[in-house]
Amino acid sequence: MTNRCAVVGIGQTRHAAARSDVSLAGLVREAVERALGDAGIDGREIGAVVLGKAPDMLEGVMSPELYLADAVGAVGKPIHRAYTSGNAGGVAASVGAGLITAGLHARVLVVSFEKQSEARAAGSTLQRVPFEAPWHGGTGSLFAAVCREYISRSGAPADIGDRVAFKERQNALRNPYAQVRRADITLEAIATSRMLWDPIRFLHASPSSDGACAIVLADEAAAARHARPAWVHACAVRSEPPVSPWHDSVDPRAGRDCAGAVYGQAGISNPIRQLDVAELFAPYSWMEPILLENLGFAEPGAGWRLIEDGATTMTGRLPVNPSGGLLGANPIGAAGLVRFAEAAMQVRGAAGDHQVDGARLAVGHAAGGYSNCVAMWVVGSERP
Amino acid sequence: MKAQGAAEAGGAPQVAVIGFASQIRHVSDGSSDAELLAPVIDRALAASGLSRSDIGVVCTASSEFGSGIVGSVMEVFDVLPCWPPVTHSHLEGEGAFALYEAWVRLLAGEADAALVCAYSRPLASDLSALLALQLDPYLVAPLAPRSHQLAALQARALVDSGRYTERDFATVVSARRAGLTLDAALAQPYVASPLRGPDCSTTACAGTAAIVLAADASASRAAGRPAWIAGMDHRVETGAFGARDLTRSASIEEAGARLELRGAEIDVLEVHAPYSHQELIVADAIGGRIGALNPSRGVLPADPLGVSGLIRIGAAASAVSRGGALRAVAHATNGPCLQQNLLCLLERDRRGRLRAGG
């Protein structure tokens, strides 16, 4: 006896490299007020709050749900912290959906944030055991090794990373919330931008961002009061050990299984044909062909062909990241929830200038750690 | 791995604690988090009668500030039953909240059985100072109040209310700390008046705990007697101390009311009170007719950050499954001065789940 769940309100902040105009609480509050406003409800109608946030050390606030309880309107209510890794926003959405599905609450607010300007994310995520020598590689160095291995396996042409970045950056121009919006962007500018970690160039990479996102989830009875709910057809989280004989960093089974689980729940047998849009968590452009294969949109080794064929553009077979994705803004802890929220915006027909025409079924994806922690959901305009 | 229990039970699924193990070490031997966790997971699974492959949900908790390692969960994956990949979630904070999430996921039908683990290996030399990082990062944390000092504000307010005296605090201390008489406790110097050293829990220790949860059908196949979770609720209060009545716990009163605990028979109550006076506040806020209070001795003698609350749930479940209790309640807390609280109601008989949400 489980309950259906729908997204009935969505809000996100203006993402920026430094939102020095607001505190952590102010940043989170901005997203919460927009989500409640979008849902047309009062905060008092929220039964519980889930707060997704990447490692506490990124901002140096321990258990920030305690300090932020007031800002998110959780006082007197349950507030649950979700973290896991970079997939925090996706895990938070899955906990929120679980609270609805289990029949514990009628309306749940899910909030995620990151304020990297008050943090040192690139360094602190690589900090290992105390007293060990520091490894000043930057987060991108981990992904670069994965991308090189992918190129070696698939024979992808050298310009695939440029093409993805060009597509994402053009899409970001249509998204008013995106942080990086370069109207003068050209393929050549991307291809000649500084090499950071071969094959990842500067304009292949996501920025450091301050930002927050909030969504209101409702059960079927509560959703009846709202126009255009996005119904949750499937939601799953999968993790595997990051270092093991079985872990394939290019094609991790956690991603494969997570995709298999949500497609199974949603009755999807041919994802590229049945899904209308995908919002994928790709912090570097080269990760997009890798994810297209890992999540079942292309056969192994063929993900880059979808990009070369233009299948992932706004008018292609499967528009990927119409919002501009993480290259538009990457508030780490919130970035996963933004993907989930953008998928819901698409099937509600509420994505504005980056709306994919006629989108009815969409997938949102979040990943973290060494691509070993994955969360996904499938949302649709029709009730499942 | 899809739950079939709901259909068999003819209604909402119910979840039980079917395995528990914990370990606390006062002296570090250099073991890693994974090395500390592995035998505890094995013992909890052995007690449950389930195998690693039965587990479909894994929820873990730790404090990265305590251990000084960002992304510390990546280093314990080796010992978690996560291959093939399962639903896994990690949170920074008290392990009892990880258990809450696992409970929700089982109720939502994500799997039949879950493993909940918490681990804490504090390398921080001064936890009481570190906990200031839980406070408002702009206005309060820079003042660096120690957690002992904040707890003392609460204890002072409790004394001023006339409800309790320092002697009552010492009574709690002598009941929880072996070999310390009431008079000896009262003779100790203040750490932060009115709190003395023994009033504050001993945090210099490494702890690990693991609990196995199972939904209906799987729980019925458990090796021992299941401790059914009749309900669970948690609430948070404002982060502004000045806006709270520190002498009572509105969040526990609310959670307890939803679990219908006021005036109810409670055979065993396990309280997560890092300070002696907080045990009094928690018990008052629950307001049940309590048989045994903290028969495990609670957390004053040993309080591994982020693990203590989960151990309370395990101890309460053990009281039901092995100790003959019909109803036991476990309490867990997070944050300064009991800001956030969780109550878990465990019963010997399966009677359906209370709808404690809202």
Side-chain angles (χ1 to χ4, degrees):
Chain A
M1 194 179 69
T2 53
N3 301 281
R4 292 191 179 97
C5 175
V7 183
V8 299
I10 297 172
Q12 57 182 308
T13 59
R14 178 175 60 80
H15 307 294
R19 283 295 305 272
S20 42
D21 57 321
V22 284
S23 63
L24 285 167
L27 184 75
V28 165
R29 186 72 202 168
E30 188 175 306
V32 168
E33 285 187 354
R34 286 180 181 160
L36 293 174
D38 184 36
I41 62 169
D42 191 284
R44 281 171 296 196
E45 295 182 73
I46 296 292
V49 181
V50 183
L51 185 75
K53 163 77 185 73
D56 288 0
M57 280 198 210
L58 294 198
E59 282 88 8
V61 182
M62 191 174 184
S63 294
E65 65 275 18
L66 298 167
Y67 150 63
L68 293 173
D70 297 82
V72 299
V75 170
K77 298 172 185 172
I79 184 166
H80 185 81
R81 167 71 191 281
Y83 155 35
T84 309
S85 63
N87 71 354
V91 173
S94 88
V95 175
L99 288 166
I100 300 282
T101 304
L104 290 164
H105 297 282
R107 281 192 192 80
V108 173
L109 177 71
V110 181
V111 190
S112 281
F113 74 95
E114 200 77 62
K115 206 159 189 300
Q116 291 201 57
S117 67
E118 298 186 23
R120 202 174 61 86
S124 58
T125 50
L126 279 177
Q127 174 193 334
R128 303 271 298 181
V129 179
F131 317 119
E132 268 189 10
W135 171 27
H136 298 289
T139 317
S141 66
L142 299 172
F143 285 92
V146 173
C147 298
R148 281 200 298 276
E149 172 66 12
Y150 172 73
I151 292 168
S152 151
R153 286 187 198 182
S154 67
D159 67 346
I160 292 297
D162 306 332
R163 285 169 175 263
V164 173
F166 185 59
K167 182 259 297 178
E168 304 278 83
R169 296 190 182 287
Q170 281 186 311
N171 289 354
L173 290 171
R174 300 161 175 257
N175 178 0
Y177 295 104
Q179 164 188 340
V180 181
R181 308 176 74 210
R182 297 180 56 151
D184 60 343
I185 195 72
T186 62
L187 203 51
E188 193 197 354
I190 292 167
T192 57
S193 63
R194 190 157 66 95
M195 185 65 83
L196 298 180
W197 308 273
D198 193 354
I200 297 174
R201 293 182 180 275
F202 179 68
L203 290 175
H204 294 166
S206 56
S208 275
S209 307
D210 287 0
C213 181
I215 61 173
V216 178
L217 297 172
D219 67 11
E220 191 167 4
R225 257 181 50 195
H226 299 273
R228 294 192 302 184
W231 293 95
V232 179
H233 287 233
C235 188
V237 177
R238 292 290 183 276
S239 299
E240 68 181 70
V243 181
S244 83
W246 308 292
H247 177 64
D248 181 339
S249 56
V250 174
D251 192 12
R253 184 166 165 188
R256 220 159 246 291
D257 285 8
C258 194
V262 291
Y263 300 156
Q265 288 171 39
I268 292 171
S269 54
N270 186 340
I272 192 162
R273 207 174 66 205
Q274 290 172 264
L275 285 160
D276 299 313
V277 57
E279 278 282 343
L280 307 183
F281 193 101
Y284 302 96
S285 62
W286 271 106
M287 291 303 292
E288 196 161 300
I290 294 173
L291 289 171
L292 288 172
E293 295 173 25
N294 185 234
L295 305 180
F297 295 108
E299 292 299 314
W304 60 268
R305 293 184 191 276
L306 290 177
I307 289 149
E308 202 168 56
D309 296 347
T312 59
T313 61
M314 284 296 286
T315 53
R317 284 172 71 198
L318 178 75
V320 175
N321 293 344
S323 66
L326 267 59
L327 266 53
N330 185 11
I332 302 171
L337 187 61
V338 174
R339 305 280 76 69
F340 278 48
E342 287 282 351
M345 284 162 63
Q346 290 288 343
V347 300
R348 294 172 91 202
D353 288 345
H354 63 287
Q355 177 69 44
V356 172
D357 284 342
R360 298 166 69 83
L361 205 57
V363 64
H365 163 262
Y370 303 83
S371 299
N372 63 308
C373 300
V374 184
M376 295 173 76
W377 78 4
V378 171
V379 285
S381 54
E382 302 292 323
R383 202 172 56 180
Chain B
M1 216 176 282
K2 185 74 184 158
Q4 294 173 342
E8 289 173 26
Q14 198 172 346
V15 170
V17 174
I18 61 166
F20 165 59
S22 66
Q23 183 182 54
I24 290 176
R25 291 187 185 186
H26 286 274
V27 180
S28 168
D29 65 355
S31 297
S32 69
D33 290 336
E35 288 166 329
L36 290 167
L37 201 48
V40 175
I41 291 174
D42 286 347
R43 276 168 45 214
L45 280 169
S48 75
L50 300 188
S51 66
R52 290 170 72 90
S53 60
D54 293 321
I55 300 295
V57 168
V58 176
C59 292
T60 52
S62 70
S63 169
E64 298 188 350
F65 278 99
S67 64
I69 302 169
V70 173
S72 70
V73 67
M74 295 300 157
E75 325 221 341
V76 304
F77 264 113
D78 283 355
V79 300
L80 300 178
C82 286
W83 187 267
V86 299
T87 301
H88 165 264
S89 173
H90 181 75
L91 62 84
E92 279 193 73
E94 167 52 53
F97 293 88
L99 184 134
Y100 182 87
E101 181 178 330
W103 178 68
V104 170
R105 290 185 182 279
L106 294 186
L107 293 180
E110 287 190 40
D112 284 336
L115 174 71
V116 183
C117 310
Y119 54 95
S120 168
R121 186 172 52 108
L123 298 178
S125 57
D126 189 348
L127 208 56
S128 180
L130 182 75
L131 288 169
L133 295 174
Q134 291 181 334
L135 308 168
D136 179 323
Y138 308 102
L139 301 176
V140 187
L143 303 173
R146 299 167 59 84
S147 58
H148 293 346
Q149 294 164 333
L150 296 178
L153 290 176
Q154 184 178 39
R156 173 59 62 202
L158 194 57
V159 170
D160 289 349
S161 75
R163 278 162 54 204
Y164 292 107
T165 64
E166 290 178 40
R167 195 170 180 82
D168 296 318
F169 302 167
T171 305
V172 173
V173 168
S174 61
R176 304 293 163 246
R177 291 186 180 273
L180 191 65
T181 64
L182 193 155
D183 288 337
L186 275 175
Q188 297 288 317
Y190 288 120
V191 168
S193 172
L195 296 178
R196 305 165 196 277
D199 288 307
C200 311
S201 66
T202 303
T203 57
C205 54
T208 44
I211 285 183
V212 180
L213 298 179
D216 295 296
S218 289
S220 304
R221 288 201 310 271
R225 180 193 287 279
W228 293 101
I229 299 176
M232 199 161 10
D233 197 84
H234 63 89
R235 304 276 148 177
V236 71
E237 298 180 41
T238 174
F241 316 116
R244 287 169 56 192
D245 177 354
L246 294 175
T247 68
R248 51 186 278 266
S249 173
S251 53
I252 295 175
E253 287 168 14
E254 175 72 19
R258 285 171 185 273
L259 297 176
E260 300 168 5
L261 296 180
R262 182 151 288 278
E265 291 279 355
I266 298 170
D267 298 319
V268 170
L269 173 62
E270 283 287 344
V271 174
H272 177 190
Y275 298 93
S276 60
H277 69 279
Q278 292 179 342
E279 184 178 299
L280 303 167
I281 294 173
V282 172
D284 284 351
I286 291 174
R289 284 176 290 159
I290 298 161
L293 179 56
N294 272 344
S296 71
R297 290 190 182 272
V299 306
L300 286 183
D303 185 13
L305 180 70
V307 182
S308 291
L310 188 62
I311 293 178
R312 304 278 75 66
I313 295 176
S318 297
V320 169
S321 55
R322 292 209 296 272
L326 293 176
R327 313 184 82 201
V329 172
H331 159 261
T333 194
N334 188 32
C337 300
L338 299 171
Q339 188 189 342
Q340 186 184 22
N341 296 284
L342 176 147
L343 296 179
C344 178
L345 172 61
L346 295 139
E347 295 182 343
R348 194 174 69 178
D349 299 320
R350 187 192 185 286
R351 58 154 177 156
R353 168 165 60 91
L354 296 169
R355 195 186 184 284

